[in-house]
Amino acid sequence: MDTIVEVIDEENIDEGALEVLKKAGSIIKDGGLVAFPTETVYGLGGDALNPQSSMKIYAAKGRPSDNPLIVHVADMESIKKIVKEIPDAGYKLAEKYWPGPLTMIMNKSDAVPYETTGGLDTVAIRMPSNKIAAELIRCAGGYIAAPSANISGRPSPTEAKYCVEDLSGRVEMIIDGGAVGIGLESTIIDLTSDVPMILRPGYITKENLTELLGDVSVDKTILDANSKAAPKAPGMKYRHYAPKGDLTIVEGDSQKVAEYINGELKKAKGQGLKTGVIATSESAPLYNADIVKIAGSRDDEEEIAHNLFSILRQFDDEEVNLMFSESFDDTGIGQAIMNRLLKAAGHKVVRV
Ligand code: AMP
Ligand code: MG
């Protein structure tokens, strides 16, 4: 299959851009796949109400088909068709956080095929704020199932070039809308349990959600490598976000972390390995790696979240074999950062 790549400027969706989006919408309505930008990461979209489209998404990503997809909508009205009912908390959250980086899980209606929900009776729903995404959803008939637009297991794509790398020849079209804003996937909250439960941390934090809903619980498996419990979000059990080389997180006092990592870097150089470190702007000068990447200032979680996946991809591009990362606070957006970083490292953590 030839993959068409089209560039659209989110801030200037002109006639030409609308033509492209109509064409992309027709591809999806006809059962094809289109990768597109959202404010979180790039999505790999197909018609959420067409079981064949969902099967194609799993095949294109190499994703296990028991890992459900998120259904993307452009307005509240559309949701009524795909759920049994919208709980009160759903209205509250939508009012404050939609369109935006929050996914809500509700009981599904018969309109949603089990292929889309990985066999579950619940459906995950999100209304993205990216204008290209919103217009594409309208052009595609209102319901786009879209996981992140990467090959399963790799870091989620924050730029179109990474979709091209992973999905060329596997999808009909890739829409290049530039670098994404947030850089981490949406927060997922399950509204089907008595107490709403966060299944995946993201830009919208536990603190944000608790403030609005009162009692909110967090799936225990989010940061815990040793938990025997199965994650409530089926996808979270799979290896995820992993760079090609070996990544270890080093935790502890900043000086000691630098000493430990520099010691390991020295050994690695002796073995001819290419090395990388994920550091902060404060600590970067401490490291002697081949490549030191600054995720951001330690005080700026949004910046760190924004840069994390692209740093992991850059290490792949630069063929780095051995990587170390500093650890980050696991409060606020830090919970999402640490969740992704721990998975990328296969939960390899050294405490010094
Ligand atoms: P991705 O598409 O890569 O952003 O991943 C989507 C995530 O949403 C996966 O971790 C899924 O397990 C989770 N998810 C989607 N639908 C449901 C659902 N109905 N119940 C629980 N988790 C879900
Ligand atoms: Mg993903």
Side-chain angles (χ1 to χ4, degrees):
M1 173 194 308
D2 283 337
T3 300
I4 314 164
V5 179
E6 298 275 8
V7 178
I8 296 181
D9 175 2
E10 190 191 357
E11 294 316 320
N12 181 26
I13 302 188
D14 55 14
E15 296 256 316
L18 281 175
E19 277 311 307
V20 170
L21 289 168
K22 273 189 202 144
K23 187 171 160 193
S26 311
I27 291 172
I28 290 176
K29 280 185 185 163
D30 291 344
L33 304 181
V34 175
F36 62 98
T38 81
E39 68 276 23
T40 57
V41 299
Y42 272 76
L44 166 55
D47 181 353
L49 306 188
N50 177 348
Q52 260 76 43
S53 296
S54 293
M55 307 278 283
K56 273 194 203 167
I57 292 175
Y58 290 119
K61 273 184 71 89
R63 175 169 176 153
S65 59
D66 65 347
N67 184 356
L69 307 174
I70 294 173
V71 179
H72 293 68
V73 297
D75 51 60
M76 277 309 273
E77 199 49 38
S78 304
I79 295 176
K80 294 183 181 151
K81 179 171 159 185
I82 57 171
V83 300
K84 287 234 162 75
E85 62 167 354
I86 304 177
D88 288 345
Y91 284 107
K92 262 195 202 168
L93 290 168
E95 170 98 35
K96 175 133 185 169
Y97 291 114
W98 276 359
L102 178 71
T103 296
M104 299 186 221
I105 294 181
M106 302 183 197
N107 288 311
K108 83 173 191 74
S109 75
D110 293 340
V112 188
Y114 282 112
E115 282 78 359
T116 300
T117 66
L120 299 173
D121 287 315
T122 53
V123 59
I125 308 166
R126 182 164 102 80
M127 192 188 295
S129 65
N130 180 291
K131 293 176 197 139
I132 299 170
E135 192 55 39
L136 177 63
I137 294 166
R138 283 182 217 109
C139 291
Y143 303 92
I144 296 185
S148 50
N150 52 280
I151 294 291
S152 200
R154 299 209 61 206
S156 303
T158 52
E159 291 181 51
K161 67 177 178 189
Y162 297 127
C163 304
V164 172
E165 203 173 287
D166 279 18
L167 299 175
S168 258
R170 294 169 175 253
V171 299
E172 276 80 0
M173 188 190 279
I174 294 171
I175 300 175
D176 180 347
V180 301
I182 292 176
L184 292 183
E185 305 85 347
S186 58
T187 305
I188 302 181
I189 185 161
D190 184 355
L191 301 181
T192 65
S193 47
D194 289 341
V195 175
M197 184 187 272
I198 298 171
L199 305 187
R200 178 172 74 186
Y203 182 81
I204 301 198
T205 62
K206 176 176 195 266
E207 292 80 353
N208 296 146
L209 296 167
T210 307
E211 191 181 319
L212 197 69
L213 299 181
D215 211 7
V216 171
S217 64
V218 179
D219 185 2
K220 295 244 175 329
T221 63
I222 279 177
L223 293 175
D224 184 0
N226 304 318
S227 174
K228 297 270 186 300
K232 294 271 188 320
M236 302 302 272
K237 74 184 175 215
Y238 293 108
R239 183 177 151 89
H240 244 113
Y241 319 122
K244 289 176 183 154
D246 187 74
L247 171 66
T248 303
I249 302 169
V250 186
E251 214 174 69
D253 166 77
S254 172
Q255 284 298 334
K256 282 194 183 145
V257 167
E259 267 166 39
Y260 174 84
I261 291 179
N262 283 333
E264 294 299 304
L265 292 172
K266 207 167 174 185
K267 284 188 225 159
K269 273 190 191 152
Q271 296 163 5
L273 295 173
K274 190 165 179 187
T275 59
V277 170
I278 303 177
T280 57
S281 44
E282 293 82 5
S283 65
L286 301 175
Y287 296 105
N288 303 320
D290 293 318
I291 303 174
V292 179
K293 301 271 185 201
I294 298 178
S297 163
R298 190 155 275 282
D299 304 326
D300 190 348
E301 288 179 330
E302 288 194 21
E303 181 67 14
I304 295 169
H306 176 83
N307 290 325
L308 181 62
F309 284 144
S310 69
I311 289 176
L312 293 174
R313 287 267 179 175
Q314 287 162 31
F315 278 145
D316 283 355
D317 293 345
E318 287 154 5
E319 299 182 343
V320 174
N321 329 93
L322 187 69
M323 288 153 285
F324 294 91
S325 176
E326 295 181 1
S327 178
F328 300 94
D329 278 348
D330 63 1
T331 53
I333 302 172
Q335 188 169 58
I337 295 169
M338 284 311 291
N339 168 261
R340 306 309 192 274
L341 197 56
L342 283 163
K343 281 176 177 283
H347 283 275
K348 261 200 298 321
V349 182
V350 174
R351 287 183 189 80
V352 292

